[in-house]
Structure formats: structure tokens, C-alpha cells
Amino acid sequence: MDYSDFPSDSGRTGHCVLFASSEAHPLVKTGGLGDVAASLPMALRDLGHDARLILPAYPSAKKLVRELKPLMELRMPGIVGTVQLLGGLLPDRDLPVYLVDAPAYFCREGNPYTDVSGRDWGDNPERFLLFSRVVAHVAMGLPPLNWRPHILHCNDWQTGLAPALLREQDERPATVFTIHNLAYQGLFDRATFDRLHLPPALWAVSGLEFHQRMSFIKGGIVFSDRVNTVSPQYADEVRTQRFGCGLDGLLRQLGGRFRGILNGIDYRVWNPADDPALPQGYDAEHVHLKAENKRELQTLFGLPRDEHAFVLGHVGRLVEQKGVDLIIDILPRLVEAGQVQLVMQGAGDRALEQALQAAAANTERVSVHVGYDEIRAHLIEAGCDAFLMPSRFEPCGLNQMYSLRYGTVPIVHNTGGLADTVVDASDATLAAGTANGFLFNDPNADGLWYAVEKALRMHREQRGQWRALMLAGMRQDLSWQASARHYADFYSEAIAARTSLHQAAMA
Ligand code: ADP
Ligand code: GLC
């Protein structure tokens, strides 16, 4: 396939964007980055930009990409085996994707970051350096591809070395780096830095060095023309010591080059009116039909079929960040409240998995599914009355937005993207019609319980108000439209900054 002839490219007058990510739905996904990596480039294409995705050729990616074919071989010193660039389209949409096929690095069981037992791959630095190297090559415009991006958009630490590798290339494209989660930085020891044979000049506090270790994420932050994170509130938070994970000073120094751009959600995948995972579709005009999904959810999770039960749900990676331990802490109070049910789905930390299963074993009102399951995740969003997200911090969070779209009222900690998307039900917001959920301030069991009790009371005693919350969420515009436009403007800024830098260097 010659992408310059890619049919829907005709008439694209916007930016050419190479979007680099370590995961993308439905090829491979462990969390929200996977959703964003498929939906943002597609939203940019819908706006007339020529966005293309690049990702490692994991086995599932090679299996699922449509019209996959080899484009070229890349010769790279010190690499085990061969490196080929493959090209094709995402299975469910016309989004061009390049796959970096280096079987010795990416062709393995497990997920992009860990083996099947959940341990990080020992050679992650080599794997994501190789990926970043290929990304940097493609970003410079390889002749056989007949395509040269104006923008390289990198995401998270796995792609952080690409802007660092391009730093001295006069003809490089403008670079944008998005931090989806500052807590994951790709930190490795000095011996790893030496082993990777990176330019020695990169070992500097103004480069990759971070407290005597090598930081992949610093590559993206230090060497990109523009840096952003995925919500305005989290952008403010990470510039403080409390949330900055040691990088708050650096982010503050970036000044106006750093900001927050809120994620959108993919209406092609998350649409309650037309969701193949649901037994019964519904929308804001037919919200009563949602009840059928509650019955199906109760059956699937082995809970008593009770249409009057207040059903709470949670889906997520089981890690400290998500505050699942707070949910476990309030279980006795939940069970005591009567006619409350809880559905939980997640995978990750083994201790949390076990704690959840143990908590569920004692009561028929709580059901836990340990594992990763997209279809069930959709049914939980549709079948619950309310969705719990007690995250200690949350860069953006997609699940609360899926909940809003599905008329499932979010109960969330007042932090990051949760604070930017959920409007707490107060007298004022209820009167204004803007309330869509419940926020709590203290990230502990009492804080969470305060909001859950408030929600429970409204669900029982003020059905009209509850319905107003549901409808406010369902009618909100959570699509990528507005956010993709923000990214397009951000790209223009990055290009302008790059151009003036280039001109200054040439003068
Ligand atoms: P994060 O990226 O921090 O994990 P987000 O809320 O941004 O959090 O996105 C999480 C995404 O991963 C959502 O699409 C969610 O449905 C999905 N997800 C997480 N855990 C599971 C699971 N166990 N089963 C199905 N989907 C899951
Ligand atoms: C990260 C964050 C999450 C965000 C997602 C997509 O994994 O933890 O809050 O929604 O990336 O940007």
C-alpha cells in the first residue's frame, strides 16, 4: 500500500501527524492510553489531518491489522534479529498504522510491558529504545514510505527517547509529548544507560538524568517543542510537589509550553444506543430501557435480580492509584445499607485481586470478576446505577466519561480529570441543571462513604433529581471533536516554535 494514495487522504489539508504509542485499541490495550491512541488520531483524521499511528508489532497487532504488508526493512546496529516496518489499517476504522516488527523484542506472550505473571520485561529499556529509534526514523520521512510528518506526537515514557534522539536533526518535525500518567517514568540505572549506547551527552540533568538514574519520560519532556497532559486540573496538580513525582520543577519551568488538554471518548465504541455488548440499547430519550441491562448484569455477575437495588460498579487496573482499597474499606457499610449491590472488575496487583475476592466471598451483594474483559466492561457501564472512581490521582480517567455517556452516575474523588468532568450535585448545580455526579474531597474511606451515602439517598428519595443527573451526563458533549481541535492548535504552536528555532539556528 502506498499511503500517499490512501483513498481518504485526498483533500486532507491539515497537518501530517505521526502518533507514536505503545498500545492502541483494539490491537492491544491495558488502559486508557490504548483508547486514546486509536480515537485521537481518528478524530484528527475526521478534522482533515493526515494522522497515522505507529506501534510495536505485538502478535495481536499483527493478527488484527487489515491489509497488512511489509513496507521496508530497517538496518539498525546492535539489534538482535531483523527490523521491518509493516503497514496497514486498524480493523474497525480507516486509520493507517505502521507496525515495528522486531520479533526478538515484541513477539511474546504477555502484555506490552509485562510477562504473563505480571513482571516487567527485563529488556524493556532495549525494547522501547528500539521502538523510539524506529519512530525517530519514520518521523524524518523515509523515502520508501513517501510520507513525511510535520508533527511527531509521542505518548508516555515508552516513546520518550524519540524526541531526545531527534534533538540535533536540523530537518526534524515539530514534536509534541503527552504525559498520560506521570507516575510511570521509565526509570533505569546508570549501567542500563551505558548498555544502551545512547549519546553520552544525554547523561545530564538537562537531559535524561534523574537522581542518578536514566528517565525515559524526561526525554519527551525536555526535548519536545510542546508538552501536555490529559486534563487541565492534572496539569495544575503535576506542577506541585504533591503530585509532581519529582518532575514538578521541570514542568513549572516549561511555562506556557506545557498545558492540559482533556481527553475525549470514542463515540464509535462507547454509544449506549448502538453497543453490541448490550442486550438492550438506549439513549437519553429512552432511558427507561437501561433497566434491561441491569437485569442482565445481575445475572452475569450472579447477583440477586432486583430492579430496585442500587447497583454500584467499578472497572479498572488494580493498582494503588485507583483507590480500590477504599472501596474494600466501605464494603461493610455498603452491605449494611440494604438493597445495595456492587460489581467490580479489574486485574493487576495480586494482593488487591485477592483482597477483593476475599471481600466478595462473604456476601451475595458483591460480585468480583478478576480479569480483563471489554464486553463485560461495557455491560457494567450500562447496567449499574452509579460508578465508583475513588482514584488517589487521575490524569484524566475515561471510565467516568463512559459512565456519564451511559447514564450511570459517577461518584469520584475530586482530583485531576475527574474534577474536570464531573459536576457535584449541590443545590446550586441541581438548580442550574449542570449536576451530573458526586465528588468527594478526602481520599479515604470516610470521604468516599460520604459521597456514596449522598448518592444512595438521592437514588432512593429524589428520583426526579437522580434522573436529572443521568440525563445531564448523557447529553454532555464528551466526544473528541473539541479536544482534537485543541490538539490541532497545539500542533500549530509546536510547528511555529520549531520553525523559529530552526530559523534562529540557520541565521
Ligand atoms: P487508566 O488508563 O489509568 O487505566 P482510564 O480510565 O483512562 O484509566 O482507562 C481505563 C481503560 O481501560 C478503560 O477503557 C477501561 O474500561 C479499561 N479497563 C481497565 N481495566 C479493565 C478490565 N479489567 N476489563 C476491561 N476493561 C478494563
Ligand atoms: C493514563 C491515566 C488515565 C488517562 C489515560 C488516558 O493511563 O491513568 O487517567 O485517562 O492515561 O489518557
Side-chain angles (χ1 to χ4, degrees):
M1 180 190 335
D2 176 356
Y3 282 143
S4 57
D5 294 336
F6 188 71
S8 57
D9 276 0
S10 55
R12 274 179 208 287
T13 49
H15 303 303
C16 293
V17 183
L18 180 65
F19 193 96
S21 172
S22 54
E23 54 181 271
H25 177 76
L27 306 180
V28 62
K29 169 176 157 186
T30 68
L33 172 61
D35 289 336
V36 172
S39 50
L40 171 55
M42 198 59 216
L44 288 163
R45 291 188 77 79
D46 291 342
L47 292 178
H49 302 282
D50 181 4
R52 303 177 184 193
L53 187 59
I54 183 164
L55 162 111
Y58 310 110
S60 58
K62 277 170 85 170
K63 202 163 84 196
L64 290 170
V65 166
R66 273 191 292 142
E67 297 173 38
L68 188 67
K69 67 177 200 188
L71 299 176
M72 64 183 295
E73 193 149 319
L74 290 150
R75 308 218 163 270
M76 313 206 108
I79 294 301
V80 181
T82 55
V83 184
Q84 265 209 328
L85 199 64
L86 315 175
L89 296 165
L90 276 205
D92 55 348
R93 57 194 69 188
D94 285 341
L95 174 63
V97 51
Y98 297 112
L99 294 183
V100 178
D101 192 19
Y105 297 80
F106 300 121
C107 193
R108 2 178 130 164
E109 294 304 316
N111 81 25
Y113 321 115
T114 68
D115 63 20
V116 273
S117 73
R119 250 193 326 255
D120 283 355
W121 295 111
D123 59 351
N124 273 346
E126 281 82 358
R127 297 172 73 231
F128 292 111
L129 168 60
L130 168 63
F131 180 52
S132 296
R133 273 196 203 287
V134 177
V135 167
H137 273 88
V138 176
M140 289 302 292
L142 296 169
L145 302 185
N146 199 11
W147 185 72
R148 196 185 169 95
H150 309 119
I151 286 283
L152 168 62
H153 185 163
C154 290
N155 294 273
D156 276 354
W157 73 263
Q158 295 84 357
T159 56
L161 291 186
L165 294 168
L166 286 171
R167 75 200 186 292
E168 283 176 346
Q169 295 280 352
D170 285 339
E171 301 303 322
R172 71 167 175 81
T175 46
V176 166
F177 184 71
T178 300
I179 301 168
H180 293 264
N181 193 334
L182 195 61
Y184 299 98
Q185 302 187 351
L187 293 176
F188 303 97
D189 60 14
R190 169 75 207 226
T192 307
F193 178 83
D194 294 338
R195 200 174 71 225
L196 296 181
H197 299 295
L198 284 162
L202 286 177
W203 186 267
V205 176
S206 57
L208 304 182
E209 187 184 346
F210 181 70
H211 300 288
Q212 287 86 52
R213 291 205 282 171
M214 168 180 52
S215 160
F216 272 52
I217 204 171
K218 270 191 79 185
I221 297 175
V222 172
F223 296 106
S224 298
D225 297 301
R226 284 290 180 277
V227 181
N228 78 302
T229 184
V230 286
S231 71
Q233 174 71 28
Y234 187 64
D236 287 343
E237 289 170 356
V238 291
R239 281 178 280 207
T240 66
Q241 206 180 359
R242 176 164 169 219
F243 292 100
C245 304
L247 291 170
D248 44 299
L250 178 60
L251 292 171
R252 281 195 300 273
Q253 270 172 27
L254 292 183
R257 284 190 289 143
F258 173 65
R259 78 188 59 153
I261 302 177
L262 193 68
N263 286 332
I265 62 172
D266 192 336
Y267 279 19
R268 292 174 178 87
V269 180
W270 296 92
N271 175 10
D274 177 29
D275 184 335
L278 308 187
Q280 177 64 60
Y282 60 99
D283 57 24
E285 277 63 53
H286 306 90
V287 78
H288 60 282
L289 297 175
K290 182 169 158 47
E292 180 54 32
N293 298 298
K294 182 175 189 168
R295 284 190 281 275
E296 177 75 14
L297 180 71
Q298 288 170 327
T299 307
L300 183 69
F301 276 80
L303 294 164
R305 274 172 77 112
D306 175 359
E307 62 178 298
H308 300 296
F310 182 53
V311 182
L312 295 158
H314 176 83
V315 177
R317 294 180 295 117
L318 294 179
V319 290
E320 154 99 5
Q321 172 194 344
K322 300 290 177 183
V324 169
D325 50 312
L326 307 189
I327 302 180
I328 297 176
D329 286 349
I330 65 161
L331 277 186
R333 288 184 252 187
L334 267 183
V335 171
E336 217 166 273
Q339 270 203 322
V340 177
Q341 297 179 348
L342 174 66
V343 171
M344 304 272 301
Q345 175 168 299
D349 185 293
R350 297 286 182 266
L352 276 173
E353 289 180 359
Q354 283 161 9
L356 265 182
Q357 281 169 322
N362 297 325
T363 162
E364 63 159 14
R365 292 173 193 278
V366 180
S367 181
V368 171
H369 177 75
V370 168
Y372 189 94
D373 187 326
E374 287 276 336
I375 306 246
R376 278 174 184 255
H378 282 245
L379 187 61
I380 293 172
E381 291 291 2
C384 289
D385 294 298
F387 196 92
L388 299 175
M389 282 183 82
S391 311
R392 292 191 162 81
F393 66 94
E394 195 61 78
C396 179
L398 299 174
N399 276 316
Q400 84 282 11
M401 293 200 265
Y402 300 150
S403 303
L404 289 167
R405 178 117 173 95
Y406 279 63
T408 298
V409 175
I411 301 175
V412 306
H413 177 212
N414 189 2
T415 188
L418 301 173
D420 282 332
T421 49
V422 178
V423 180
D424 187 44
S426 66
D427 290 344
T429 57
L430 282 165
T434 53
N436 64 11
F438 297 88
L439 286 167
F440 62 94
N441 290 324
D442 301 325
N444 55 39
D446 287 342
L448 172 60
W449 179 246
Y450 159 81
V452 170
E453 218 183 8
K454 196 168 141 191
L456 179 58
R457 219 174 310 122
M458 187 188 285
H459 185 260
R460 277 190 186 150
E461 295 163 17
Q462 288 146 330
R463 294 309 288 243
Q465 283 191 348
W466 186 265
R467 198 180 149 84
L469 291 193
M470 292 170 68
L471 293 180
M474 293 183 85
R475 293 190 171 134
Q476 217 167 314
D477 182 7
L478 301 159
S479 73
W480 267 107
Q481 268 258 338
S483 296
R485 283 185 207 283
H486 279 127
Y487 273 103
D489 293 344
F490 204 47
Y491 294 157
S492 300
E493 271 182 41
I495 290 169
R498 167 74 195 124
T499 309
S500 54
L501 211 71
H502 188 62
Q503 281 165 351
M506 293 294 132

